[in-house]
Structures are given as structure tokens and as C-alpha cells.
């Protein structure tokens, strides 16, 4: 049985920094994939098919519950007619988030990003959800 070697505070901090960077890059990939899917009016199912996975697994990837492999990244880029580098580029995401344009989860569980959509105040003419 081997015992763990003592880890210095600096090593722990460096590992935490690396983990945070990896997590951030995963968020960037998810955000960029969602933006491209929305812009091209493509479904998660079509991308799942291109990656050779089930739609449920694609959904989990887009929620950050399943990690993106390099193979998935390359296949997604090819399917979306872009490059892996562009899927990992955070410039548009940073620009939009820093300018206060953030996408919120839409009603009904739709998590596709909505570009530049402002909420419209209710005027009382909206359909009800009651069943008669």
C-alpha cells in the first residue's frame, strides 16, 4: 500500500488553477456549440447523430454533465463547419457576458441561447395554460 506524498500549498493552488481553467474551457465549448446550433437552426439530435451518441448524452454534454473529449470536439467542429479552435475561442462569450447580454433559461426548459432578445412586458392578452 502506498501512502500519498505530502502536497505543498503551492501545488494545491496550481492544481486548483488548472482545474478552474479546464472547467472554464468546457463552458466555452458548450456556449459556442449552443450559439452555432441556434444560429444555424440545428437541433441537439442532429449534432448527437454526427458525434455518434444518443440525444440524451448530447443534452448532458451541453449541460456540462458529461465532459467533451477531443474526438467529440473535432467531430462537432466538422459537423458545425467550423474548427476546434473556434469552438474553444472565448472572445464572443466574454464580449457578450461583459456587455451584460446574458442568456437565461427559457420557459419550458428550452436552453438554446437566445440572441439579443429583450423581454416584453405582459399586456394581459396572453393565452392561459388552463385546460377546460
Amino acid at each position: 500500500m502506498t501512502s500519498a506524498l505530502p502536497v505543498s500549498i503551492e501545488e494545491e493552488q496550481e492544481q486548483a488553477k488548472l482545474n478552474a481553467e479546464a472547467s472554464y474551457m468546457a463552458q466555452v465549448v458548450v456556449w459556442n456549440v449552443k450559439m452555432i446550433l441556434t444560429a444555424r437552426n440545428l437541433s441537439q439530435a442532429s449534432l448527437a447523430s454526427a458525434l455518434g451518441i444518443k440525444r440524451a448524452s448530447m443534452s448532458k454534454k451541453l449541460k456540462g454533465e458529461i465532459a467533451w473529449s477531443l474526438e467529440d470536439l473535432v467531430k462537432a467542429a466538422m459537423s458545425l463547419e467550423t474548427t476546434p479552435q473556434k469552438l474553444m475561442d472565448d472572445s464572443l462569450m466574454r464580449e457578450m457576458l461583459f456587455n451584460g447580454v446574458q442568456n437565461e433559461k427559457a420557459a419550458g426548459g428550452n436552453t438554446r441561447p437566445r440572441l439579443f432578445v429583450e423581454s416584453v412586458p405582459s399586456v394581459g392578452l396572453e393565452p392561459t395554460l388552463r385546460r377546460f
Side-chain angles (χ1 to χ4, degrees):
M1 189 160 134
T2 60
S3 62
L5 296 174
V7 179
S8 70
I9 293 175
E10 293 81 19
E11 289 173 330
E12 286 180 8
Q13 290 172 340
E14 185 62 27
Q15 187 62 44
K17 185 177 176 183
L18 291 172
N19 290 342
E21 183 66 23
S23 177
Y24 175 75
M25 288 310 299
Q27 291 173 358
V28 169
V29 169
V30 166
W31 194 87
N32 283 329
V33 167
K34 286 181 178 180
M35 294 301 278
I36 293 171
L37 287 173
T38 299
R40 296 187 182 161
N41 200 26
L42 298 172
S43 67
Q44 289 182 15
S46 65
L47 184 57
S49 177
L51 269 62
I53 61 175
K54 295 181 180 181
R55 193 202 59 76
S57 295
M58 185 77 251
S59 178
K60 288 181 179 182
K61 281 187 179 296
L62 293 175
K63 290 179 185 175
E65 295 173 7
I66 297 177
W68 287 75
S69 68
L70 289 175
E71 182 180 351
D72 291 340
L73 185 66
V74 171
K75 286 180 180 179
M78 290 174 61
S79 175
L80 298 172
E81 299 176 352
T82 189
T83 64
Q85 293 84 355
K86 288 183 181 176
L87 290 180
M88 295 172 51
D89 181 3
D90 70 341
S91 58
L92 182 59
M93 185 178 93
R94 281 187 295 121
E95 180 181 329
M96 291 185 75
L97 294 179
F98 290 144
N99 289 333
V101 180
Q102 294 185 7
N103 296 307
E104 297 177 10
K105 188 171 183 177
N110 183 359
T111 58
R112 297 182 88 180
R114 294 176 287 157
L115 297 175
F116 310 108
V117 176
E118 294 183 28
S119 61
V120 178
S122 171
V123 293
L125 301 174
E126 294 75 22
T128 64
L129 297 176
R130 288 187 278 163
R131 292 184 180 209
F132 298 97

